[in-house]
Amino acid sequence: MNSNENKKNEESGKKESAWLDWATETEVFVGSLIFFGLILAGASFFIYIGISTHIIFNNAKYKVDADCKAVSVEEYEEEQYVYDDDYKDYPPAEREDHKKLEKYKLYVIEWEYYIDDIKHTFTTTDKYATIHKVDDVEKLQFYSEDGVEYKKAPFSGLTDFMLVVCILVAGGCIYLIIGIIITRIKIVLQNKKKKIKS
């Protein structure tokens, strides 16, 4: 047996041992399926939202690209109750009782853009800090069903990146779940054969 075959056997042995760890014990088997199933469900939810936003945009009657200009950046002092890190190891009810008041800055940015020489506006908000300033220009996509009222495309480069990540995570979970189930079936069949022989 040459070194390449040895390496292949070692790699398959490592993979098989990982499957065996998850599939042999009933509690670990069920726990693994639940764990990867929950991750799959979470990733699938975000995939559904991500794909839905693209479908909404693609099915719209009117779609345009527009240069949006920031015409004002307003800064507001806001307050919110947050959990106190001093009580992070306490029970949830007690943590709820020891929330503290936090002050933060909220930035409201007003944008304007033109479609067919008609001015449209929308606002965005940034919490704590903002990179935007007056006269900033961003190219954005908009869609409309009637050609009068336009909405900003419900996706961005960041959401598309997250969509790809979620697809990869979901694919990995499906692969793991199928692998664990197949290994479990093999173990059950092997045990049945041993019982028949004995």
Side-chain angles (χ1 to χ4, degrees):
M1 189 180 285
N2 61 34
S3 60
N4 286 338
E5 287 176 351
N6 283 333
K7 282 180 184 175
K8 283 181 183 177
N9 288 337
E10 283 174 15
E11 286 173 7
S12 65
K14 284 176 186 174
K15 286 179 187 175
E16 194 67 9
S17 66
W19 298 129
L20 286 170
D21 289 342
W22 287 325
T24 305
E25 294 292 329
T26 302
E27 287 180 4
V28 177
F29 170 69
V30 173
S32 298
L33 292 183
I34 292 171
F35 177 72
F36 292 121
L38 288 172
I39 295 173
L40 176 60
S44 298
F45 175 72
F46 286 109
I47 290 168
Y48 169 76
I49 291 173
I51 292 174
S52 296
T53 59
H54 281 275
I55 290 171
I56 289 168
F57 180 79
N58 291 334
N59 290 342
K61 193 172 180 181
Y62 302 94
K63 296 184 281 286
V64 296
D65 292 337
D67 289 324
C68 305
K69 183 179 179 180
V71 292
S72 74
V73 179
E74 302 283 339
E75 181 182 312
Y76 299 94
E77 289 285 345
E78 299 288 339
E79 295 178 343
Q80 65 181 356
Y81 281 96
V82 296
Y83 289 109
D84 192 334
D85 287 340
D86 293 339
Y87 295 89
K88 65 181 178 182
D89 297 324
Y90 285 67
E94 204 163 335
R95 289 195 71 202
E96 199 70 34
D97 290 338
H98 289 92
K99 279 186 172 181
K100 62 181 181 181
L101 191 65
E102 176 194 69
K103 292 186 177 182
Y104 67 93
K105 289 182 180 178
L106 181 71
Y107 296 88
V108 179
I109 303 102
E110 184 180 0
W111 303 83
E112 69 176 27
Y113 61 99
Y114 289 84
I115 297 174
D116 298 328
D117 295 327
I118 299 171
K119 184 171 85 171
H120 300 266
T121 62
F122 69 95
T123 59
T124 60
T125 58
D126 288 331
K127 202 172 180 180
Y128 301 116
T130 185
I131 59 169
H132 300 296
K133 59 185 185 300
V134 174
D135 293 333
D136 279 356
V137 176
E138 286 189 9
K139 194 172 206 61
L140 298 174
Q141 293 179 301
F142 295 86
Y143 69 99
S144 172
E145 293 301 330
D146 56 11
V148 177
E149 186 181 344
Y150 281 84
K151 296 177 183 176
K152 191 160 68 77
F155 53 82
S156 64
L158 178 61
T159 58
D160 285 348
F161 172 75
M162 292 303 297
L163 175 60
V164 172
V165 170
C166 287
I167 289 170
L168 292 174
V169 169
C173 286
I174 291 168
Y175 171 73
L176 290 169
I177 289 168
I178 291 171
I180 293 166
I181 291 170
I182 289 171
T183 306
R184 180 73 174 186
I185 291 168
K186 285 179 182 177
I187 291 168
V188 170
L189 292 175
Q190 284 172 359
N191 290 340
K192 281 185 179 178
K193 283 180 183 178
K194 286 177 183 176
K195 284 180 183 178
I196 292 167
K197 284 180 182 179
S198 61

